[in-house]
């Protein structure tokens, strides 16, 4: 008697999850299907789901239409995502290890100050970051006072640096380091291991899922960045893929089918990356609430 | 030669010189600025246009660079949307790296002016070498010229024309003919009469009104009664004018009769054959020419109150100049003058579907060719462009137009308020916004 009830409950759960995932997946499905439509069909009301005709040339046009080809924008986004993710994760690992495993004066206040920066909206820091990047001393033709040149304006580093320090990443990784037993450090210290060696050879492998998660989050953050790269660059050949999508929108005739094609192209690398690290991601999220 | 003959000859020579001097050599205009740049100069041009307009801007810049080869080079850079570009300007104003010329909105130029970033163009406009003659100035549509020198700019010319669109009246000829209407309504009385005919004959509403444009459409409709939204001293609104209540009552009556529908997708409904008429930007002409397949359609000037002065709200953007060296500023002016000139405007307007800035451009080969491909474009240029004007400007315009008026007018149309209450609330809210903006 319990079996049919359990089967029914299982079926209901499955149906609920199917509906939920359908709701979440539908915008992406719509985006991909719309990218094959003509500009006349995409404006039809009521809309069509499946394209009446499949226009593969939309992707060719989306690839070649922006100033640099989509390939160049992709390359720039890959540079930002990998470079930015590496820098952000490296900085966060060091800070999180210190906050999670070490004791020093003012640790608590310093950590609260770090957390406090999460409440500052990005719009507030836009201008100060711009001024800082443009006036970095000794770079981009600047003198010791940061004047005379353009600092890191219009460069990859200029796009990467302001987000290299992430309070969220530090917080997330700190939780992972705090879950490691203190005995590991005691044992390592007895064997003459220093802090950095302990971090690299012992602690980091143990928090690999969390670190991989942060790499993915950071990569997505840099991949999806639009306003900051737009503000800090002036050279088309440096700009990331999100800027390329803007080219298809216009005051008089936004070609949404091409916007969808460009968006589909820009989404693909992130999708591939997600599938590659899916296991580590799930593991990290599952264990983030578990104390050691 | 005797003395008398010599004197006569001298007199004739003097007379000829005097006459010839006046007829063939008009007195030169003052020229405090140099005639040309002293050395090759490169200037930056920021613009917030993607798609068709972005390509047209780059094509225009390319033509200019070819023409000025070796003297002036313009480096155009796409800067996202207007708001994204404004964020970048604010950052660059603080940290350095402003361009020399930028395509912007009036509200942006107002900020540039009050921040002392924009260069007044009056000396350049009047300059003897590179300025504009009185004929050239007269050729510019009055509304387009007026938008370059506004009270909010401190009555200085802080902008120069670039691209112009205007509020327009689109109509579905098939639905009209089905209702026995041959010509689109030109007065509000005709709109009301035609609305009933269309509803009775087709079951369709006459007018799909876009919900988020209710405020701007209301303000424009009020203007067609001869009443601008802002008082002449700029301190209060005119929403207590009897015509404001009349417009609200008219719109509400149409909603009650089912001849007007408030729709979030009005600009999609019209090209799909729903709604006989639509109030929208002339910028839609090119897009609709690609989208509309199933019926004949036209575009013209928005309806007016009987005997009221013809007028319609102008949109679009302008070019403005930031401070630089003398050569940079001169190069910038020469570039801005080129972009607004009849030659470039003909091609630019034909490429984008914008209205040209000059009346003579309407007769150019480029626009004639564009009009052959899209006949509605010719009709728009001929019937709408001459009457386009910028709304009276105020620091509170965006707040009043896009938020306060939209909220209050929509509330009336959705029957959450009576027209009388709506008009009173609109007057109070708008006046408060104007007062706060002025502080």
């Amino acid at each position: 008697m319990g079996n049919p009830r359990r089967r029914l409950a299982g079926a209901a759960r499955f149906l609920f999850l199917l509906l939920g995932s359908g709701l979440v997946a539908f915008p992406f499905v719509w985006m991909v299907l719309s990218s094959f439509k003509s500009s006349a069909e995409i404006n039809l009301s009521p809309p069509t789901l499946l394209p009446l005709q499949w226009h593969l040339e939309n992707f060719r046009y989306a690839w070649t239409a922006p100033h640099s080809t989509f390939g160049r924008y992709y390359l720039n986004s890959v540079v930002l995502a990998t470079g930015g993710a590496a820098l952000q994760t490296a900085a966060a690992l060091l800070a999180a290890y210190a906050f999670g495993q070490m004791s020093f004066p003012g640790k608590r206040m310093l950590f609260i100050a770090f957390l406090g920066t999460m409440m500052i909206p990005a719009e507030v820091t836009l201008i100060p970051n711009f001024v800082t990047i443009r006036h970095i001393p000794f770079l981009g033709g600047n003198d010791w006072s940061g004047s005379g040149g353009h600092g890191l304006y219009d460069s990859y580093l200029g796009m990467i640096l302001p987000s290299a320090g992430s309070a969220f990443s530090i917080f997330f990784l700190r939780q992972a380091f705090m879950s490691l037993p203190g005995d590991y450090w005691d044992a390592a210290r007895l064997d003459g291991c220093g802090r950095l060696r302990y971090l690299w050879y012992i602690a980091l492998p143990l928090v690999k899922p969390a670190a991989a998660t942060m790499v993915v989050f950071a990569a997505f953050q840099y991949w999806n960045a639009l306003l900051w790269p737009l503000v800090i660059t002036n050279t088309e050949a440096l700009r990331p893929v999100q800027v390329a999508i803007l080219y298809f929108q216009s005051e008089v005739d936004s070609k949404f089918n091409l916007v969808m094609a460009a968006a589909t192209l820009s989404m693909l690398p992130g999708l591939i990356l997600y599938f590659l690290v899916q296991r580590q991601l799930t593991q990290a999220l599952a264990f983030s609430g578990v104390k050691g | 030669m005797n003395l008398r003959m010599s004197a006569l000859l001298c007199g004739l020579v003097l007379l000829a010189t005097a006459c010839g001097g006046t007829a063939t050599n008009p007195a030169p205009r003052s020229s405090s600025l140099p005639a040309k740049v002293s050395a090759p100069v490169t200037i930056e041009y920021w613009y917030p246009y993607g798609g068709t307009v972005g390509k047209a801007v780059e094509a225009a810049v390319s033509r200019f660079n070819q023409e000025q080869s070796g003297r002036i080079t313009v480096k155009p850079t796409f800067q996202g949307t207007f708001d994204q570009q404004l964020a970048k300007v604010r950052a660059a104003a603080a940290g350095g790296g402003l361009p020399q010329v930028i395509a912007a909105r009036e509200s942006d130029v107002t900020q540039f002016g009050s921040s002392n970033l924009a260069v007044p163009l009056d000396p350049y406009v009047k300059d003897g070498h590179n300025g504009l003659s009185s004929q050239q100035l007269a050729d510019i549509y009055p509304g387009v010229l007026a938008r370059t020198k506004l009270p909010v700019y401190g009555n200085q010319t802080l902008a120069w024309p670039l691209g112009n669109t205007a509020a327009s009246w689109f109509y579905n000829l098939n639905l009209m003919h089905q209702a026995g209407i041959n010509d689109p309504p030109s007065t509000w009385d005709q709109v009301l009469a035609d609305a009933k005919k269309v509803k009775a004959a087709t079951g369709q509403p006459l007018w799909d009104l876009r919900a988020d444009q209710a405020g701007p459409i209301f303000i424009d409709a009020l203007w067609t009664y001869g009443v601008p939204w802002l008082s002449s001293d700029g301190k209060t609104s005119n929403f207590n004018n009897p015509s404001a209540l009349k417009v609200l009552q008219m719109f509400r009556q149409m909603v009650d009769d089912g001849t007007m529908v408030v729709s979030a997708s009005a600009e999609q409904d019209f090209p799909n054959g729903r709604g006989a008429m639509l109030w929208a930007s002339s910028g839609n002409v090119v897009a609709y020419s690609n989208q509309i397949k199933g019926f004949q359609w036209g575009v013209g000037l928005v309806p007016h109150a009987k005997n009221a002065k013809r007028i319609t709200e102008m949109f679009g953007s302008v070019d403005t100049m930031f401070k630089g060296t003398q050569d940079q500023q001169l190069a910038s002016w020469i570039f801005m003058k080129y972009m607004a000139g009849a030659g470039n405007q003909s091609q630019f307007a034909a490429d984008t579907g914008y209205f040209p800035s000059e009346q003579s451009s309407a007769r150019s080969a480029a626009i004639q060719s564009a009009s052959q491909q899209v006949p509605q474009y010719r009709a728009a240029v001929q019937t709408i462009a001459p009457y386009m004007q910028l709304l009276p400007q105020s620091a509170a315009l965006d707040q009043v137009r896009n938020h306060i008026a939209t909220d209050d007018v929509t509330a009336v149309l959705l029957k959450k308020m009576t027209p009388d209450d709506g008009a009173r609330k609109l007057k109070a809210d708008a006046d408060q916004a104007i007062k706060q903006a002025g502080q």
Side-chain angles (χ1 to χ4, degrees), chain A residues 43-67:
Chain A
N43 287 298
L44 280 180
S45 174
T48 56
L49 178 59
L50 290 175
L52 297 170
Q53 269 186 323
W54 294 78
H55 293 267
L56 294 172
E57 69 274 14
N58 289 350
F59 290 94
R60 189 177 66 241
Y61 187 79
W63 188 269
T64 56
H67 292 87

Side-chain angles (χ1 to χ4, degrees), chain A residues 29 54 73 76 94 146 156 164 194 196 214 221 229 246 261 272:
Chain A
V29 171
W54 294 78
Y73 293 108
N76 295 333
L94 291 169
Y156 286 123
L196 280 176
M214 283 333 301
Q221 179 194 339
L246 286 178
I272 294 167

Side-chain angles (χ1 to χ4, degrees), chain A residues 185-204:
Chain A
W185 165 240
D186 292 338
R189 193 170 49 170
L190 282 172
D191 287 338
C193 193
R195 284 285 187 186
L196 280 176
R197 189 181 287 228
Y198 171 75
L199 170 62
W200 183 254
Y201 286 108
I202 299 170
L204 186 52

Side-chain angles (χ1 to χ4, degrees), chain B residues 158-245:
Chain B
L158 288 187
W160 206 242
L162 177 61
N164 318 288
T165 55
S168 309
W169 192 241
F170 292 79
Y171 43 89
N172 181 325
L173 284 162
N174 288 33
L175 288 177
M176 279 168 53
H177 293 158
Q178 216 176 318
I181 304 165
N182 290 327
D183 298 311
S186 58
T187 66
W188 288 114
D189 291 337
Q190 285 173 348
V191 167
L192 292 172
D194 288 353
K196 289 182 179 145
K197 288 182 193 170
V198 167
K199 179 78 178 170
T202 70
Q204 295 254 17
L206 179 115
W207 190 353
D208 254 14
L209 185 140
R210 206 174 116 182
D212 62 340
Q213 292 291 302
I217 290 172
F218 166 78
I219 286 174
D220 289 353
L222 180 61
W223 214 9
T224 66
Y225 276 82
V227 179
W229 77 278
L230 189 67
S231 63
S232 52
D233 62 7
K235 291 190 176 149
T236 57
S237 69
N238 285 327
F239 295 138
N240 54 337
N241 187 288
S243 295
L245 179 59

Side-chain angles (χ1 to χ4, degrees), chain B residues 127-152:
Chain B
D127 181 52
H129 297 301
N130 294 297
L132 274 77
S133 66
S134 51
Q135 289 97 323
Q136 286 172 312
L137 286 169
D139 190 27
I140 300 175
Y141 282 111
V144 173
L145 189 60
R147 81 188 299 181
T148 64
K149 188 172 187 168
L150 302 173
V152 289

